[in-house]
Amino acid sequence: MELQNLTHVSEFLLMGLSEDPVLQPFILGLFLCMYLVTILGNLLIILAVSSDSHLHTPMYFFLSNLSLADIGFITTTVPKMLVNIQAHSKSITYAGCLTQVSFFFLFGCLDSLLLAVMAYDRLVAICYPLHYLVIIKPHVCGLLVLVSFFISLLDSQIHFLMISQLTFCTNVKIPNFFCDAPQLLHLACSDTSIDDILIYFTGAIFGGIPISGILYSYTQIVSSILRIPSTGGKYKVFSTCGSHLSVVCLFYGTALGVYLSSAVSPSPQKSLVASVMYTMVTPMLNPFIYSLRNKDIKNALWRIINRIA
């Protein structure tokens, strides 16, 4: 690449979901509704947990933190897309793009780690019920969330520093509605071989360890449930994991879909669909999964509605 083809990048262009002007109002309305539903649903979960003393338990403490992470996760990407559609613009500043990358990995990694922590909580509750209150103490819960946050912060800073060291060419079009690190690597003019290795390495560490922890926890949980003699007892115990397991499958299923779709097929449209599922649909559905499948959450929400009425 010749030197004159290099430029100091002041902004990138987010190409969004579609360039068809007819579809823009529909996309704006749809994703604004999805964003508002996500924020409202997760805030209701946090309100229910904080206002009801029956829900002041480790499981619901972790759930309220997961809701906070989901709010941060979707707020990192969607508002900028909505502003760009409304303003008929595609630009995002260089600093804004780096900030988006940083917060995207911060809240994405935090989601993953909190799901692993919640799996550990269920493991102790089902396999060691008599020792649950001794093992899962309030200060232990706070420490687990704090450690998860600092690990996520480390992951986000690694990606921030990696992207900030890249040199970009005149082509600054990102085929997505947010700044995604792998796509930024493809736009870079500098050598990205070390960065590619680092992306896979950090993904294996910060993604692989939580997944391994979740798989180990559920292996032990299933083994413990199988030792219960009655079918009704098995169902009752496993039903306490139903909501968490649904969220885990949704989160990791859509996340893997993003990377598998980009690896198997270079189609931008398939990658966009997977990205929408991962960044928007999953945070929106989490509150519904927990509220619809959990009697305690439903009862707490009804008590709030009755107090307001």
Side-chain angles (χ1 to χ4, degrees), residues 130-166:
L130 299 178
H131 300 91
Y132 180 77
L133 295 177
V134 177
I135 298 173
I136 309 294
K137 296 179 180 179
H139 72 274
V140 172
C141 296
L143 182 62
L144 287 171
V145 171
L146 198 61
V147 169
S148 298
F149 175 79
F150 281 112
I151 292 174
S152 303
L153 186 62
L154 174 63
D155 182 36
S156 72
Q157 291 309 297
I158 289 173
H159 286 87
F160 175 85
L161 291 172
M162 179 177 63
I163 299 300
S164 65
Q165 299 302 312
L166 297 176

PDB file of all heavy atoms in Angstrom, residues 130-166:
ATOM      1  N   LEU A 130     -27.551 -27.971  51.685  1.00  0.00           N
ATOM      2  CA  LEU A 130     -27.350 -27.731  53.117  1.00  0.00           C
ATOM      3  C   LEU A 130     -26.219 -26.737  53.382  1.00  0.00           C
ATOM      4  O   LEU A 130     -26.169 -26.115  54.446  1.00  0.00           O
ATOM      5  CB  LEU A 130     -27.073 -29.049  53.843  1.00  0.00           C
ATOM      6  CG  LEU A 130     -28.202 -30.099  53.776  1.00  0.00           C
ATOM      7  CD1 LEU A 130     -27.782 -31.370  54.499  1.00  0.00           C
ATOM      8  CD2 LEU A 130     -29.495 -29.538  54.380  1.00  0.00           C
ATOM      9  N   HIS A 131     -25.306 -26.605  52.416  1.00  0.00           N
ATOM     10  CA  HIS A 131     -24.173 -25.697  52.586  1.00  0.00           C
ATOM     11  C   HIS A 131     -24.337 -24.406  51.784  1.00  0.00           C
ATOM     12  O   HIS A 131     -23.408 -23.604  51.720  1.00  0.00           O
ATOM     13  CB  HIS A 131     -22.873 -26.392  52.155  1.00  0.00           C
ATOM     14  CG  HIS A 131     -22.559 -27.625  52.934  1.00  0.00           C
ATOM     15  ND1 HIS A 131     -22.982 -28.884  52.538  1.00  0.00           N
ATOM     16  CD2 HIS A 131     -21.881 -27.795  54.099  1.00  0.00           C
ATOM     17  CE1 HIS A 131     -22.565 -29.780  53.401  1.00  0.00           C
ATOM     18  NE2 HIS A 131     -21.905 -29.153  54.368  1.00  0.00           N
ATOM     19  N   TYR A 132     -25.527 -24.226  51.164  1.00  0.00           N
ATOM     20  CA  TYR A 132     -25.725 -23.099  50.255  1.00  0.00           C
ATOM     21  C   TYR A 132     -25.490 -21.754  50.946  1.00  0.00           C
ATOM     22  O   TYR A 132     -24.735 -20.905  50.443  1.00  0.00           O
ATOM     23  CB  TYR A 132     -27.134 -23.142  49.665  1.00  0.00           C
ATOM     24  CG  TYR A 132     -27.423 -22.019  48.703  1.00  0.00           C
ATOM     25  CD1 TYR A 132     -26.913 -22.048  47.409  1.00  0.00           C
ATOM     26  CD2 TYR A 132     -28.198 -20.924  49.093  1.00  0.00           C
ATOM     27  CE1 TYR A 132     -27.169 -21.021  46.518  1.00  0.00           C
ATOM     28  CE2 TYR A 132     -28.456 -19.893  48.212  1.00  0.00           C
ATOM     29  CZ  TYR A 132     -27.949 -19.939  46.925  1.00  0.00           C
ATOM     30  OH  TYR A 132     -28.193 -18.910  46.055  1.00  0.00           O
ATOM     31  N   LEU A 133     -26.115 -21.552  52.106  1.00  0.00           N
ATOM     32  CA  LEU A 133     -25.996 -20.278  52.801  1.00  0.00           C
ATOM     33  C   LEU A 133     -24.592 -20.037  53.345  1.00  0.00           C
ATOM     34  O   LEU A 133     -24.198 -18.882  53.562  1.00  0.00           O
ATOM     35  CB  LEU A 133     -27.015 -20.206  53.946  1.00  0.00           C
ATOM     36  CG  LEU A 133     -28.489 -20.199  53.515  1.00  0.00           C
ATOM     37  CD1 LEU A 133     -29.394 -20.193  54.734  1.00  0.00           C
ATOM     38  CD2 LEU A 133     -28.790 -19.003  52.624  1.00  0.00           C
ATOM     39  N   VAL A 134     -23.843 -21.120  53.553  1.00  0.00           N
ATOM     40  CA  VAL A 134     -22.470 -20.980  54.038  1.00  0.00           C
ATOM     41  C   VAL A 134     -21.529 -20.606  52.894  1.00  0.00           C
ATOM     42  O   VAL A 134     -20.621 -19.780  53.058  1.00  0.00           O
ATOM     43  CB  VAL A 134     -21.999 -22.288  54.704  1.00  0.00           C
ATOM     44  CG1 VAL A 134     -20.546 -22.174  55.146  1.00  0.00           C
ATOM     45  CG2 VAL A 134     -22.889 -22.632  55.894  1.00  0.00           C
ATOM     46  N   ILE A 135     -21.783 -21.193  51.704  1.00  0.00           N
ATOM     47  CA  ILE A 135     -20.899 -20.959  50.551  1.00  0.00           C
ATOM     48  C   ILE A 135     -21.239 -19.643  49.851  1.00  0.00           C
ATOM     49  O   ILE A 135     -20.369 -18.823  49.577  1.00  0.00           O
ATOM     50  CB  ILE A 135     -20.988 -22.138  49.561  1.00  0.00           C
ATOM     51  CG1 ILE A 135     -20.522 -23.438  50.230  1.00  0.00           C
ATOM     52  CG2 ILE A 135     -20.143 -21.856  48.317  1.00  0.00           C
ATOM     53  CD1 ILE A 135     -20.736 -24.675  49.384  1.00  0.00           C
ATOM     54  N   ILE A 136     -22.532 -19.446  49.554  1.00  0.00           N
ATOM     55  CA  ILE A 136     -22.962 -18.256  48.803  1.00  0.00           C
ATOM     56  C   ILE A 136     -23.403 -17.179  49.795  1.00  0.00           C
ATOM     57  O   ILE A 136     -24.601 -16.939  50.005  1.00  0.00           O
ATOM     58  CB  ILE A 136     -24.099 -18.586  47.811  1.00  0.00           C
ATOM     59  CG1 ILE A 136     -23.717 -19.795  46.950  1.00  0.00           C
ATOM     60  CG2 ILE A 136     -24.390 -17.390  46.903  1.00  0.00           C
ATOM     61  CD1 ILE A 136     -22.562 -19.565  46.016  1.00  0.00           C
ATOM     62  N   LYS A 137     -22.444 -16.536  50.415  1.00  0.00           N
ATOM     63  CA  LYS A 137     -22.724 -15.443  51.347  1.00  0.00           C
ATOM     64  C   LYS A 137     -22.855 -14.122  50.588  1.00  0.00           C
ATOM     65  O   LYS A 137     -22.377 -14.005  49.456  1.00  0.00           O
ATOM     66  CB  LYS A 137     -21.598 -15.347  52.378  1.00  0.00           C
ATOM     67  CG  LYS A 137     -21.464 -16.573  53.272  1.00  0.00           C
ATOM     68  CD  LYS A 137     -20.295 -16.399  54.243  1.00  0.00           C
ATOM     69  CE  LYS A 137     -20.152 -17.617  55.148  1.00  0.00           C
ATOM     70  NZ  LYS A 137     -19.003 -17.467  56.084  1.00  0.00           N
ATOM     71  N   PRO A 138     -23.480 -13.113  51.205  1.00  0.00           N
ATOM     72  CA  PRO A 138     -23.644 -11.813  50.516  1.00  0.00           C
ATOM     73  C   PRO A 138     -22.333 -11.212  50.032  1.00  0.00           C
ATOM     74  O   PRO A 138     -22.254 -10.693  48.909  1.00  0.00           O
ATOM     75  CB  PRO A 138     -24.304 -10.934  51.582  1.00  0.00           C
ATOM     76  CG  PRO A 138     -25.056 -11.890  52.439  1.00  0.00           C
ATOM     77  CD  PRO A 138     -24.221 -13.137  52.479  1.00  0.00           C
ATOM     78  N   HIS A 139     -21.277 -11.265  50.860  1.00  0.00           N
ATOM     79  CA  HIS A 139     -20.007 -10.668  50.424  1.00  0.00           C
ATOM     80  C   HIS A 139     -19.360 -11.480  49.308  1.00  0.00           C
ATOM     81  O   HIS A 139     -18.637 -10.936  48.471  1.00  0.00           O
ATOM     82  CB  HIS A 139     -19.044 -10.513  51.610  1.00  0.00           C
ATOM     83  CG  HIS A 139     -18.459 -11.786  52.116  1.00  0.00           C
ATOM     84  ND1 HIS A 139     -19.094 -12.577  53.058  1.00  0.00           N
ATOM     85  CD2 HIS A 139     -17.295 -12.426  51.813  1.00  0.00           C
ATOM     86  CE1 HIS A 139     -18.344 -13.628  53.319  1.00  0.00           C
ATOM     87  NE2 HIS A 139     -17.254 -13.564  52.574  1.00  0.00           N
ATOM     88  N   VAL A 140     -19.652 -12.794  49.266  1.00  0.00           N
ATOM     89  CA  VAL A 140     -19.154 -13.635  48.171  1.00  0.00           C
ATOM     90  C   VAL A 140     -19.853 -13.248  46.863  1.00  0.00           C
ATOM     91  O   VAL A 140     -19.216 -13.180  45.801  1.00  0.00           O
ATOM     92  CB  VAL A 140     -19.364 -15.131  48.487  1.00  0.00           C
ATOM     93  CG1 VAL A 140     -19.017 -15.995  47.271  1.00  0.00           C
ATOM     94  CG2 VAL A 140     -18.534 -15.545  49.687  1.00  0.00           C
ATOM     95  N   CYS A 141     -21.169 -12.994  46.944  1.00  0.00           N
ATOM     96  CA  CYS A 141     -21.927 -12.564  45.759  1.00  0.00           C
ATOM     97  C   CYS A 141     -21.362 -11.257  45.200  1.00  0.00           C
ATOM     98  O   CYS A 141     -21.144 -11.129  43.990  1.00  0.00           O
ATOM     99  CB  CYS A 141     -23.394 -12.375  46.116  1.00  0.00           C
ATOM    100  SG  CYS A 141     -24.240 -13.877  46.627  1.00  0.00           S
ATOM    101  N   GLY A 142     -21.136 -10.294  46.109  1.00  0.00           N
ATOM    102  CA  GLY A 142     -20.569  -9.015  45.676  1.00  0.00           C
ATOM    103  C   GLY A 142     -19.194  -9.177  45.069  1.00  0.00           C
ATOM    104  O   GLY A 142     -18.864  -8.535  44.066  1.00  0.00           O
ATOM    105  N   LEU A 143     -18.390 -10.058  45.654  1.00  0.00           N
ATOM    106  CA  LEU A 143     -17.031 -10.295  45.141  1.00  0.00           C
ATOM    107  C   LEU A 143     -17.073 -10.930  43.754  1.00  0.00           C
ATOM    108  O   LEU A 143     -16.293 -10.549  42.867  1.00  0.00           O
ATOM    109  CB  LEU A 143     -16.271 -11.186  46.117  1.00  0.00           C
ATOM    110  CG  LEU A 143     -14.805 -11.491  45.765  1.00  0.00           C
ATOM    111  CD1 LEU A 143     -13.981 -10.209  45.739  1.00  0.00           C
ATOM    112  CD2 LEU A 143     -14.199 -12.490  46.758  1.00  0.00           C
ATOM    113  N   LEU A 144     -17.983 -11.891  43.540  1.00  0.00           N
ATOM    114  CA  LEU A 144     -18.104 -12.550  42.238  1.00  0.00           C
ATOM    115  C   LEU A 144     -18.492 -11.548  41.152  1.00  0.00           C
ATOM    116  O   LEU A 144     -17.944 -11.584  40.043  1.00  0.00           O
ATOM    117  CB  LEU A 144     -19.134 -13.674  42.318  1.00  0.00           C
ATOM    118  CG  LEU A 144     -18.715 -14.935  43.077  1.00  0.00           C
ATOM    119  CD1 LEU A 144     -19.897 -15.879  43.261  1.00  0.00           C
ATOM    120  CD2 LEU A 144     -17.580 -15.649  42.364  1.00  0.00           C
ATOM    121  N   VAL A 145     -19.421 -10.649  41.461  1.00  0.00           N
ATOM    122  CA  VAL A 145     -19.833  -9.634  40.484  1.00  0.00           C
ATOM    123  C   VAL A 145     -18.695  -8.652  40.219  1.00  0.00           C
ATOM    124  O   VAL A 145     -18.435  -8.277  39.070  1.00  0.00           O
ATOM    125  CB  VAL A 145     -21.090  -8.887  40.982  1.00  0.00           C
ATOM    126  CG1 VAL A 145     -21.393  -7.684  40.081  1.00  0.00           C
ATOM    127  CG2 VAL A 145     -22.283  -9.823  41.028  1.00  0.00           C
ATOM    128  N   LEU A 146     -17.989  -8.263  41.275  1.00  0.00           N
ATOM    129  CA  LEU A 146     -16.879  -7.316  41.133  1.00  0.00           C
ATOM    130  C   LEU A 146     -15.748  -7.915  40.297  1.00  0.00           C
ATOM    131  O   LEU A 146     -15.192  -7.245  39.412  1.00  0.00           O
ATOM    132  CB  LEU A 146     -16.366  -6.916  42.513  1.00  0.00           C
ATOM    133  CG  LEU A 146     -15.524  -5.637  42.603  1.00  0.00           C
ATOM    134  CD1 LEU A 146     -16.318  -4.436  42.141  1.00  0.00           C
ATOM    135  CD2 LEU A 146     -15.021  -5.430  44.028  1.00  0.00           C
ATOM    136  N   VAL A 147     -15.414  -9.164  40.562  1.00  0.00           N
ATOM    137  CA  VAL A 147     -14.363  -9.843  39.790  1.00  0.00           C
ATOM    138  C   VAL A 147     -14.787  -9.962  38.329  1.00  0.00           C
ATOM    139  O   VAL A 147     -13.982  -9.747  37.407  1.00  0.00           O
ATOM    140  CB  VAL A 147     -14.057 -11.232  40.394  1.00  0.00           C
ATOM    141  CG1 VAL A 147     -13.178 -12.047  39.447  1.00  0.00           C
ATOM    142  CG2 VAL A 147     -13.367 -11.081  41.745  1.00  0.00           C
ATOM    143  N   SER A 148     -16.060 -10.302  38.099  1.00  0.00           N
ATOM    144  CA  SER A 148     -16.578 -10.400  36.729  1.00  0.00           C
ATOM    145  C   SER A 148     -16.446  -9.068  36.002  1.00  0.00           C
ATOM    146  O   SER A 148     -16.075  -9.018  34.823  1.00  0.00           O
ATOM    147  CB  SER A 148     -18.045 -10.837  36.747  1.00  0.00           C
ATOM    148  OG  SER A 148     -18.197 -12.106  37.322  1.00  0.00           O
ATOM    149  N   PHE A 149     -16.733  -7.977  36.713  1.00  0.00           N
ATOM    150  CA  PHE A 149     -16.632  -6.650  36.096  1.00  0.00           C
ATOM    151  C   PHE A 149     -15.190  -6.319  35.724  1.00  0.00           C
ATOM    152  O   PHE A 149     -14.927  -5.826  34.611  1.00  0.00           O
ATOM    153  CB  PHE A 149     -17.187  -5.589  37.052  1.00  0.00           C
ATOM    154  CG  PHE A 149     -17.002  -4.179  36.545  1.00  0.00           C
ATOM    155  CD1 PHE A 149     -17.847  -3.664  35.581  1.00  0.00           C
ATOM    156  CD2 PHE A 149     -15.974  -3.381  37.028  1.00  0.00           C
ATOM    157  CE1 PHE A 149     -17.677  -2.367  35.101  1.00  0.00           C
ATOM    158  CE2 PHE A 149     -15.800  -2.088  36.563  1.00  0.00           C
ATOM    159  CZ  PHE A 149     -16.653  -1.578  35.595  1.00  0.00           C
ATOM    160  N   PHE A 150     -14.242  -6.581  36.616  1.00  0.00           N
ATOM    161  CA  PHE A 150     -12.849  -6.229  36.337  1.00  0.00           C
ATOM    162  C   PHE A 150     -12.248  -7.114  35.238  1.00  0.00           C
ATOM    163  O   PHE A 150     -11.427  -6.649  34.445  1.00  0.00           O
ATOM    164  CB  PHE A 150     -12.012  -6.297  37.612  1.00  0.00           C
ATOM    165  CG  PHE A 150     -12.170  -5.085  38.495  1.00  0.00           C
ATOM    166  CD1 PHE A 150     -12.794  -5.179  39.722  1.00  0.00           C
ATOM    167  CD2 PHE A 150     -11.721  -3.840  38.076  1.00  0.00           C
ATOM    168  CE1 PHE A 150     -12.957  -4.050  40.532  1.00  0.00           C
ATOM    169  CE2 PHE A 150     -11.874  -2.710  38.865  1.00  0.00           C
ATOM    170  CZ  PHE A 150     -12.496  -2.810  40.097  1.00  0.00           C
ATOM    171  N   ILE A 151     -12.660  -8.370  35.171  1.00  0.00           N
ATOM    172  CA  ILE A 151     -12.214  -9.227  34.073  1.00  0.00           C
ATOM    173  C   ILE A 151     -12.763  -8.700  32.751  1.00  0.00           C
ATOM    174  O   ILE A 151     -12.051  -8.646  31.730  1.00  0.00           O
ATOM    175  CB  ILE A 151     -12.652 -10.684  34.304  1.00  0.00           C
ATOM    176  CG1 ILE A 151     -11.897 -11.289  35.489  1.00  0.00           C
ATOM    177  CG2 ILE A 151     -12.403 -11.527  33.050  1.00  0.00           C
ATOM    178  CD1 ILE A 151     -12.367 -12.674  35.884  1.00  0.00           C
ATOM    179  N   SER A 152     -14.031  -8.294  32.753  1.00  0.00           N
ATOM    180  CA  SER A 152     -14.651  -7.725  31.545  1.00  0.00           C
ATOM    181  C   SER A 152     -13.975  -6.429  31.143  1.00  0.00           C
ATOM    182  O   SER A 152     -13.778  -6.155  29.949  1.00  0.00           O
ATOM    183  CB  SER A 152     -16.143  -7.483  31.791  1.00  0.00           C
ATOM    184  OG  SER A 152     -16.798  -8.665  32.167  1.00  0.00           O
ATOM    185  N   LEU A 153     -13.606  -5.616  32.145  1.00  0.00           N
ATOM    186  CA  LEU A 153     -12.904  -4.363  31.868  1.00  0.00           C
ATOM    187  C   LEU A 153     -11.546  -4.640  31.224  1.00  0.00           C
ATOM    188  O   LEU A 153     -11.135  -3.937  30.286  1.00  0.00           O
ATOM    189  CB  LEU A 153     -12.725  -3.571  33.162  1.00  0.00           C
ATOM    190  CG  LEU A 153     -12.124  -2.170  33.038  1.00  0.00           C
ATOM    191  CD1 LEU A 153     -13.001  -1.267  32.191  1.00  0.00           C
ATOM    192  CD2 LEU A 153     -11.920  -1.556  34.423  1.00  0.00           C
ATOM    193  N   LEU A 154     -10.862  -5.674  31.699  1.00  0.00           N
ATOM    194  CA  LEU A 154      -9.576  -6.055  31.104  1.00  0.00           C
ATOM    195  C   LEU A 154      -9.762  -6.476  29.651  1.00  0.00           C
ATOM    196  O   LEU A 154      -8.990  -6.059  28.768  1.00  0.00           O
ATOM    197  CB  LEU A 154      -8.958  -7.200  31.916  1.00  0.00           C
ATOM    198  CG  LEU A 154      -7.679  -7.828  31.350  1.00  0.00           C
ATOM    199  CD1 LEU A 154      -6.549  -6.814  31.282  1.00  0.00           C
ATOM    200  CD2 LEU A 154      -7.263  -9.044  32.185  1.00  0.00           C
ATOM    201  N   ASP A 155     -10.791  -7.277  29.380  1.00  0.00           N
ATOM    202  CA  ASP A 155     -11.077  -7.716  28.014  1.00  0.00           C
ATOM    203  C   ASP A 155     -11.362  -6.523  27.108  1.00  0.00           C
ATOM    204  O   ASP A 155     -10.841  -6.435  25.981  1.00  0.00           O
ATOM    205  CB  ASP A 155     -12.271  -8.671  28.036  1.00  0.00           C
ATOM    206  CG  ASP A 155     -12.601  -9.223  26.663  1.00  0.00           C
ATOM    207  OD1 ASP A 155     -11.659  -9.467  25.879  1.00  0.00           O
ATOM    208  OD2 ASP A 155     -13.796  -9.406  26.363  1.00  0.00           O
ATOM    209  N   SER A 156     -12.167  -5.575  27.602  1.00  0.00           N
ATOM    210  CA  SER A 156     -12.515  -4.410  26.781  1.00  0.00           C
ATOM    211  C   SER A 156     -11.299  -3.538  26.494  1.00  0.00           C
ATOM    212  O   SER A 156     -11.148  -3.012  25.386  1.00  0.00           O
ATOM    213  CB  SER A 156     -13.607  -3.580  27.475  1.00  0.00           C
ATOM    214  OG  SER A 156     -13.089  -2.888  28.594  1.00  0.00           O
ATOM    215  N   GLN A 157     -10.414  -3.396  27.474  1.00  0.00           N
ATOM    216  CA  GLN A 157      -9.227  -2.564  27.271  1.00  0.00           C
ATOM    217  C   GLN A 157      -8.232  -3.211  26.312  1.00  0.00           C
ATOM    218  O   GLN A 157      -7.533  -2.516  25.571  1.00  0.00           O
ATOM    219  CB  GLN A 157      -8.566  -2.262  28.619  1.00  0.00           C
ATOM    220  CG  GLN A 157      -9.370  -1.336  29.513  1.00  0.00           C
ATOM    221  CD  GLN A 157      -9.792  -0.071  28.794  1.00  0.00           C
ATOM    222  OE1 GLN A 157      -8.968   0.724  28.363  1.00  0.00           O
ATOM    223  NE2 GLN A 157     -11.103   0.122  28.638  1.00  0.00           N
ATOM    224  N   ILE A 158      -8.172  -4.524  26.329  1.00  0.00           N
ATOM    225  CA  ILE A 158      -7.306  -5.232  25.371  1.00  0.00           C
ATOM    226  C   ILE A 158      -7.767  -4.933  23.949  1.00  0.00           C
ATOM    227  O   ILE A 158      -6.957  -4.603  23.061  1.00  0.00           O
ATOM    228  CB  ILE A 158      -7.317  -6.747  25.636  1.00  0.00           C
ATOM    229  CG1 ILE A 158      -6.555  -7.069  26.932  1.00  0.00           C
ATOM    230  CG2 ILE A 158      -6.691  -7.515  24.464  1.00  0.00           C
ATOM    231  CD1 ILE A 158      -6.658  -8.519  27.362  1.00  0.00           C
ATOM    232  N   HIS A 159      -9.074  -5.023  23.708  1.00  0.00           N
ATOM    233  CA  HIS A 159      -9.604  -4.752  22.369  1.00  0.00           C
ATOM    234  C   HIS A 159      -9.486  -3.271  22.011  1.00  0.00           C
ATOM    235  O   HIS A 159      -9.218  -2.930  20.850  1.00  0.00           O
ATOM    236  CB  HIS A 159     -11.063  -5.204  22.285  1.00  0.00           C
ATOM    237  CG  HIS A 159     -11.229  -6.691  22.206  1.00  0.00           C
ATOM    238  ND1 HIS A 159     -11.310  -7.493  23.323  1.00  0.00           N
ATOM    239  CD2 HIS A 159     -11.292  -7.524  21.138  1.00  0.00           C
ATOM    240  CE1 HIS A 159     -11.433  -8.746  22.949  1.00  0.00           C
ATOM    241  NE2 HIS A 159     -11.430  -8.796  21.633  1.00  0.00           N
ATOM    242  N   PHE A 160      -9.686  -2.400  23.001  1.00  0.00           N
ATOM    243  CA  PHE A 160      -9.542  -0.967  22.764  1.00  0.00           C
ATOM    244  C   PHE A 160      -8.120  -0.632  22.310  1.00  0.00           C
ATOM    245  O   PHE A 160      -7.920   0.087  21.315  1.00  0.00           O
ATOM    246  CB  PHE A 160      -9.887  -0.197  24.039  1.00  0.00           C
ATOM    247  CG  PHE A 160      -9.668   1.288  23.940  1.00  0.00           C
ATOM    248  CD1 PHE A 160     -10.652   2.114  23.417  1.00  0.00           C
ATOM    249  CD2 PHE A 160      -8.473   1.861  24.356  1.00  0.00           C
ATOM    250  CE1 PHE A 160     -10.451   3.485  23.326  1.00  0.00           C
ATOM    251  CE2 PHE A 160      -8.267   3.230  24.269  1.00  0.00           C
ATOM    252  CZ  PHE A 160      -9.259   4.044  23.747  1.00  0.00           C
ATOM    253  N   LEU A 161      -7.121  -1.141  23.029  1.00  0.00           N
ATOM    254  CA  LEU A 161      -5.723  -0.866  22.692  1.00  0.00           C
ATOM    255  C   LEU A 161      -5.347  -1.486  21.350  1.00  0.00           C
ATOM    256  O   LEU A 161      -4.600  -0.887  20.568  1.00  0.00           O
ATOM    257  CB  LEU A 161      -4.807  -1.398  23.796  1.00  0.00           C
ATOM    258  CG  LEU A 161      -4.893  -0.655  25.141  1.00  0.00           C
ATOM    259  CD1 LEU A 161      -4.088  -1.384  26.208  1.00  0.00           C
ATOM    260  CD2 LEU A 161      -4.405   0.780  24.990  1.00  0.00           C
ATOM    261  N   MET A 162      -5.888  -2.670  21.077  1.00  0.00           N
ATOM    262  CA  MET A 162      -5.582  -3.348  19.825  1.00  0.00           C
ATOM    263  C   MET A 162      -6.092  -2.547  18.627  1.00  0.00           C
ATOM    264  O   MET A 162      -5.364  -2.324  17.651  1.00  0.00           O
ATOM    265  CB  MET A 162      -6.207  -4.743  19.839  1.00  0.00           C
ATOM    266  CG  MET A 162      -5.981  -5.541  18.563  1.00  0.00           C
ATOM    267  SD  MET A 162      -6.675  -7.202  18.709  1.00  0.00           S
ATOM    268  CE  MET A 162      -8.407  -6.816  18.906  1.00  0.00           C
ATOM    269  N   ILE A 163      -7.343  -2.081  18.698  1.00  0.00           N
ATOM    270  CA  ILE A 163      -7.925  -1.323  17.580  1.00  0.00           C
ATOM    271  C   ILE A 163      -7.271   0.048  17.455  1.00  0.00           C
ATOM    272  O   ILE A 163      -7.057   0.558  16.353  1.00  0.00           O
ATOM    273  CB  ILE A 163      -9.448  -1.181  17.769  1.00  0.00           C
ATOM    274  CG1 ILE A 163     -10.130  -2.564  17.795  1.00  0.00           C
ATOM    275  CG2 ILE A 163     -10.047  -0.328  16.663  1.00  0.00           C
ATOM    276  CD1 ILE A 163      -9.933  -3.379  16.534  1.00  0.00           C
ATOM    277  N   SER A 164      -6.918   0.670  18.587  1.00  0.00           N
ATOM    278  CA  SER A 164      -6.330   2.010  18.554  1.00  0.00           C
ATOM    279  C   SER A 164      -4.949   2.029  17.915  1.00  0.00           C
ATOM    280  O   SER A 164      -4.483   3.086  17.484  1.00  0.00           O
ATOM    281  CB  SER A 164      -6.251   2.589  19.969  1.00  0.00           C
ATOM    282  OG  SER A 164      -5.356   1.842  20.772  1.00  0.00           O
ATOM    283  N   GLN A 165      -4.280   0.876  17.833  1.00  0.00           N
ATOM    284  CA  GLN A 165      -2.947   0.807  17.231  1.00  0.00           C
ATOM    285  C   GLN A 165      -2.990   0.560  15.724  1.00  0.00           C
ATOM    286  O   GLN A 165      -1.957   0.581  15.069  1.00  0.00           O
ATOM    287  CB  GLN A 165      -2.136  -0.331  17.893  1.00  0.00           C
ATOM    288  CG  GLN A 165      -1.920  -0.160  19.392  1.00  0.00           C
ATOM    289  CD  GLN A 165      -1.210   1.128  19.726  1.00  0.00           C
ATOM    290  OE1 GLN A 165      -0.199   1.464  19.126  1.00  0.00           O
ATOM    291  NE2 GLN A 165      -1.746   1.873  20.693  1.00  0.00           N
ATOM    292  N   LEU A 166      -4.169   0.333  15.160  1.00  0.00           N
ATOM    293  CA  LEU A 166      -4.282   0.023  13.737  1.00  0.00           C
ATOM    294  C   LEU A 166      -4.190   1.280  12.879  1.00  0.00           C
ATOM    295  O   LEU A 166      -4.542   2.375  13.309  1.00  0.00           O
ATOM    296  CB  LEU A 166      -5.617  -0.680  13.454  1.00  0.00           C
ATOM    297  CG  LEU A 166      -5.828  -2.051  14.118  1.00  0.00           C
ATOM    298  CD1 LEU A 166      -7.235  -2.554  13.810  1.00  0.00           C
ATOM    299  CD2 LEU A 166      -4.789  -3.054  13.660  1.00  0.00           C
TER     300      LEU A 166
END
